[in-house]
Amino acid sequence: MDLDFWWLLIIPVAFGLGWVAARYDLKHLLSESANLPRSYFRGLNFLLNEQPDQAIDAFIEVVKLDPETTELHFALGNLFRRRGETERAIRVHQNLLSREDLPANERDHALYELGQDFLKAGLLDRAEETFQRLHSGGYALGALRALLTIFEIEKDWHKAIEAAQRIEAMGVPPLDKEISQFHCELAQEALQHKRIDEARNALQQALRCNPQNVRATILSGDVEMACHEPTRALEHWRQVEQQNPAYLPLVADKLMQAYAATGQSAQGAALLTRYVEAYPSNDLLDAAYKHIAELRGAQAAHALARTQMQKSPNLAGMTRLLEAQIAVADEPRKSELELMRTLIQQRTKNLPRYTCQNCGFRARLFYWQCPGCSGWETYAPRRVEPIVSAN
């Protein structure tokens, strides 16, 4: 009986405490609202009525009257940038920077946001100039990362290497893979312009940064072939098997070219056959098939294609097998096989794709840097055959 009596007392007491707390919060909210400038509410009204230019003017007035509302500007600028309205975002952040009384940390924040606005708008020179002003402070690392992105877009690989090294000096995880790829880009440019010594030096730097950089090894072979040294080129390209055999399809044709230049085409065909058997893939089979057909005949190529299809059946391999069977079939059966091959080719015409393991971007060509996410070495060096619905 006593327990029920105390429960009856607790209910009105709890209700009373809640009422007092609500009154206090309401009074506090009204007090804060009364202290806000009228320009704040005018700005909100313009924003709700989709009049962003007038809203910006109103919020600028708010900042002049009340410096504590700078966060409002940052939020508004980021909102405009996400919506693609970069001109308005630039205007918001430039107005913040025009304030002489802006604290140093908020000035750095405004500079960083302005640089992001310029970058989003594609104004790379202005973005670079803005980020370069952030030498120290909490936004220095973010500015350096943005500068690295700009240098990659502009293909200014010397500046990219310098920026990456500065980022590493700030205690972040090493960027050896990226720096090594930048050196490879320099080597490839030098090779295209026949600057052989420069290409060799860049590749030495690349392998020093990342000894497992398969691209540097492949380019080293390209340099030797450009110097008419196929034997030395073979030494480089055969190292790919030890580095990462998944990249062998990228050097299969190069290997055969070098073996042919040394008069050892048969040895090259034997090597490709071993690669196909040890590391089966459609790309290796494609390369080996045509060379074996030329050197050993259609029967040998057919046997290779059939063996690989038994190990790993797929549509692309089936197309190659049908081609092999067409080459050895008699005339009545040849037309039927050609029809089957045509149908499968139409079905698989757009299937083979190199897929980025980071963002899933698909491309018909192999890239060392993904066009989608700009990641380096994110593409597996073999084409993926997607599963297609039968409907």
Side-chain angles (χ1 to χ4, degrees), residues 15-40:
F15 178 80
L17 291 174
W19 181 83
V20 171
R23 290 277 296 178
Y24 176 79
D25 289 341
L26 180 60
K27 183 178 179 181
H28 184 68
L29 179 61
L30 290 173
S31 175
E32 286 189 344
S33 299
N35 292 329
L36 286 172
R38 292 175 58 86
S39 302
Y40 177 81

Side-chain angles (χ1 to χ4, degrees), residues 26-148:
L26 180 60
K27 183 178 179 181
H28 184 68
L29 179 61
L30 290 173
S31 175
E32 286 189 344
S33 299
N35 292 329
L36 286 172
R38 292 175 58 86
S39 302
Y40 177 81
F41 297 101
R42 285 177 43 234
L44 286 178
N45 186 53
F46 284 132
L47 197 59
L48 292 173
N49 289 319
E50 297 184 356
Q51 295 176 282
D53 291 326
Q54 293 89 330
I56 291 174
D57 292 333
F59 287 131
I60 290 171
E61 186 177 345
V62 172
V63 173
K64 291 179 179 178
L65 295 173
D66 185 2
E68 297 299 324
T69 59
T70 52
E71 287 300 325
L72 175 64
H73 263 50
F74 287 127
L76 191 62
N78 289 335
L79 173 64
F80 285 142
R81 187 169 68 237
R82 286 198 300 270
R83 291 176 56 183
E85 301 178 59
T86 52
E87 291 183 6
R88 293 191 174 104
I90 290 169
R91 183 181 170 194
V92 168
H93 294 126
Q94 283 179 332
N95 277 292
L96 270 177
L97 287 169
S98 67
R99 285 186 47 192
E100 295 182 358
D101 61 336
L102 196 66
N105 62 325
E106 292 192 1
R107 183 170 295 278
D108 287 347
H109 188 184
L111 270 175
Y112 179 77
E113 296 297 340
L114 181 61
Q116 294 291 346
D117 296 338
F118 287 138
L119 183 57
K120 181 68 177 292
L123 304 173
L124 300 183
D125 53 342
R126 299 184 68 179
E128 179 181 348
E129 180 184 355
T130 304
F131 287 126
Q132 292 283 15
R133 295 167 63 184
L134 292 167
H135 302 292
S136 59
Y139 294 92
L141 178 58
L144 271 176
R145 292 188 185 278
L147 284 170
L148 181 59

Side-chain angles (χ1 to χ4, degrees), residues 256 259 263-271 295-296:
M256 286 304 302
Y259 274 114
Q264 299 176 314
S265 296
Q267 294 183 19
L271 180 64
L295 294 170
R296 300 179 183 172

